[in-house]
């Protein structure tokens, strides 16, 4: 067990208590963490010192949004560590991709790095210190906890991940960081021929299958056809919308719960499904504001044009009202599961 994994277990045990909070306790925690984030950003980030000047008493909704274009244009002024510069972090990511370095090993012994795929036309570059990275790992661990995936010295969780093997992708960095005897991991590229994926999965025999939502149907069909012979206890999808026909195909193939997650490189996990099947926001990690195209708030039950995310644990590269071009709808009714976190409406 690595010390990083040990720190994760301690942090996850602490954040697990948040699941039993009241809504009032959660709101109080959010405001306390938000105040700390804003204070840190105003003192340590030249960009925020200028952007938020004279706005110390303003509410979060009164602060200006931060777009990816702004982030990349002002990266060196946004970052709070004077030793970090965009050109050096970019070179680190290029080295990961070209040299095949281990993304789980911290760069310069203290930083973890990842980049977005650039599907919106611009690539985002992100960096985290050890405490921030532990929070990111903890957000991914919550997905497994809510899915009731048990792990221990006598019960390892062989995990197969069918997504991307790009070492600059956050999921690859997370997988490499958590590599240990308790969670042996097989990473497969979703672009591989299905026959190759089937062969590798049959050899590995995962207890937990994590994949792009678009891979649910071809893998389930391979299982139903008798080519794939695995018995995962849970199936988790990420990075793409989970469509009902694919979900039904997976349930028919394996007869297990299919967990949906919503995550982004910038924020780590934003939401995942509870035992009742509702998608809950991780509001102790990130504050989500659904807005329209003019950044006006969108009421619950109405589809937003985009959302603004404030990452409560971000310190190295603070993200306050960071724009994500995703369309979501907040549910108007709470879930019966008892979690204090709001739900997304499907």
């Amino acid at each position: 067990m690595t010390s990083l994994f040990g720190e994760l277990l301690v942090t996850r045990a602490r954040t697990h208590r948040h699941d039993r909070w009241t809504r009032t306790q959660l709101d109080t925690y959010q405001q306390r963490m938000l105040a700390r984030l804003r204070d840190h950003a105003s003192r340590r980030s030249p960009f925020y010192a200028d952007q938020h000047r004279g706005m110390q008493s303003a509410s979060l909704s009164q602060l200006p949004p931060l777009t990816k274009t702004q982030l990349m244009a002002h990266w060196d002024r946004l970052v709070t560590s004077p030793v970090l510069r965009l050109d050096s972090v970019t070179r680190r990511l290029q080295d990961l991709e070209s040299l095949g370095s281990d993304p789980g090993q911290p760069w310069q012994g203290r930083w973890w790095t990842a980049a977005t795929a650039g599907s919106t036309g611009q690539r985002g570059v992100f960096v985290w210190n050890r405490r921030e990275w532990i929070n990111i790992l903890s957000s991914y661990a919550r997905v497994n906890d809510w899915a009731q995936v048990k792990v221990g010295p006598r019960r390892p969780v062989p995990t197969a991940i069918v997504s991307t093997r790009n070492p600059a992708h956050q999921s690859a960095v997370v997988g490499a960081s958590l590599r240990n005897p308790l969670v042996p991991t097989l990473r497969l590229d979703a672009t591989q021929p299905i026959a190759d994926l089937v062969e590798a999965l049959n050899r590995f025999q995962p207890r937990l299958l994590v994949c792009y939502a678009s891979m649910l149907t071809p893998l389930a069909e391979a299982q139903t056809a008798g080519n794939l012979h695995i018995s995962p206890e849970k199936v988790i999808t990420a990075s793409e919308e989970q469509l009902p026909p694919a979900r039904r195909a997976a349930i028919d193939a394996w007869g297990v719960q299919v967990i949906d997650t919503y995550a982004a490189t910038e924020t780590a996990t934003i939401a995942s499904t509870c035992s009742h099947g509702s998608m809950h926001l991780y509001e102790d990690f990130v504050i989500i504001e659904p807005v329209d195209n003019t950044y006006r708030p969108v009421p619950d039950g109405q589809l937003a044009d985009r959302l603004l995310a404030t990452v409560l644990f971000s310190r190295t590269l603070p993200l306050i009202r960071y724009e994500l071009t995703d369309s979501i709808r907040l549910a108007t009714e709470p879930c019966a599961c008892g979690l204090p976190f709001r739900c997304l409406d499907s």
Side-chain angles (χ1 to χ4, degrees):
M1 181 184 297
T2 66
S3 59
L4 193 69
F5 191 74
E7 289 178 49
L8 168 61
L9 293 180
V10 172
T11 300
R12 183 62 195 115
R14 184 174 65 249
T15 57
H16 184 71
R17 295 196 291 268
H18 300 180
D19 297 354
R20 299 187 293 273
W21 275 351
T22 65
R23 185 67 211 189
T24 299
Q25 287 175 301
L26 175 59
D27 289 341
T28 300
Y29 175 83
Q30 271 193 342
Q31 292 309 307
R32 183 170 72 250
M33 295 302 293
L34 175 61
R36 291 178 182 176
L37 170 62
R38 291 178 61 177
D39 177 69
H40 175 84
S42 295
R43 288 187 295 103
R44 302 290 297 275
S45 166
F47 176 86
Y48 282 113
D50 290 341
Q51 284 286 96
H52 294 178
R53 193 180 307 279
M55 303 186 74
Q56 289 83 356
S57 300
S59 65
L60 179 63
S61 62
Q62 294 174 306
L63 299 178
L66 174 69
T67 66
K68 184 187 291 185
T69 299
Q70 287 176 309
L71 180 140
M72 294 308 297
H74 301 284
W75 202 96
D76 287 349
R77 298 186 70 248
L78 266 158
V79 74
T80 61
S81 173
V83 304
L84 291 171
R85 289 294 177 265
L86 178 60
D87 58 354
S88 61
V89 177
T90 300
R91 283 197 300 272
R92 152 69 174 179
L93 292 168
Q94 291 170 342
D95 287 345
L96 284 175
E97 293 173 319
S98 62
L99 302 177
S101 305
D102 182 358
Q105 293 299 313
W107 176 52
Q108 298 181 354
R110 57 187 298 201
W111 311 107
W112 282 262
T113 61
T116 61
S119 57
T120 59
Q122 186 175 33
R123 199 182 197 199
V125 173
F126 299 89
V127 61
W128 304 273
N129 64 24
R130 190 179 187 90
R131 178 175 293 183
E132 293 167 303
W133 191 242
I134 291 293
N135 273 280
I136 287 174
L137 296 179
S138 184
S139 80
Y140 283 99
R142 174 179 274 167
V143 178
N144 289 358
D145 288 348
W146 285 5
Q148 298 181 325
V149 177
K150 306 298 183 183
V151 59
R154 298 183 180 180
R155 193 164 175 75
V157 183
T159 301
I161 303 174
V162 185
S163 57
T164 176
R165 288 178 57 86
N166 185 336
H169 193 277
Q170 189 186 79
S171 65
V173 188
V174 168
S177 298
L178 294 178
R179 190 186 301 119
N180 67 86
L182 294 184
V183 190
T185 302
L186 172 68
R187 293 195 61 84
L188 298 171
D189 196 315
T191 62
Q192 289 180 252
I194 188 66
D196 293 347
L197 296 175
V198 166
E199 182 181 359
L201 289 169
N202 281 337
R203 286 198 307 269
F204 187 71
Q205 289 297 309
R207 271 187 62 201
L208 181 64
L209 175 63
V210 183
C211 65
Y212 286 157
S214 58
M215 294 304 301
L216 270 183
T217 297
L219 290 174
E221 289 176 346
Q223 180 86 16
T224 302
N227 299 317
L228 183 61
H229 306 282
I230 61 174
S231 302
E233 296 175 14
K234 294 290 190 307
V235 177
I236 297 174
T237 64
S239 300
E240 300 166 336
E241 182 182 1
Q242 187 188 102
L243 300 177
R247 179 185 178 85
R248 287 194 295 270
I251 294 173
D252 290 342
W254 294 296
V256 299
Q257 185 180 12
V258 181
I259 308 298
D260 196 9
T261 65
Y262 173 32
T265 300
E266 298 91 331
T267 62
T269 312
I270 296 175
S272 71
T273 48
C274 69
S275 58
H276 286 229
S278 298
M279 180 81 88
H280 289 267
L281 293 170
Y282 286 14
E283 294 179 280
D284 50 345
F285 288 92
V286 60
I287 295 176
I288 293 298
E289 299 175 77
V291 295
D292 63 18
N293 282 321
T294 62
Y295 300 114
R296 291 180 301 185
V298 169
D300 294 355
Q302 182 175 320
L303 187 66
D305 295 310
R306 61 198 65 213
L307 60 88
L308 301 177
T310 297
V311 182
L312 294 172
F313 60 83
S314 62
R315 294 294 184 272
T316 306
L317 193 66
L319 296 179
I320 301 174
R321 305 198 84 205
Y322 179 80
E323 180 184 340
L324 294 171
T325 55
D326 297 337
S327 296
I328 66 167
R329 181 188 292 110
L330 290 179
T332 56
E333 298 295 331
C335 178
C337 71
L339 288 170
F341 312 111
R342 292 180 299 171
C343 299
L344 298 180
D345 200 357
S346 57

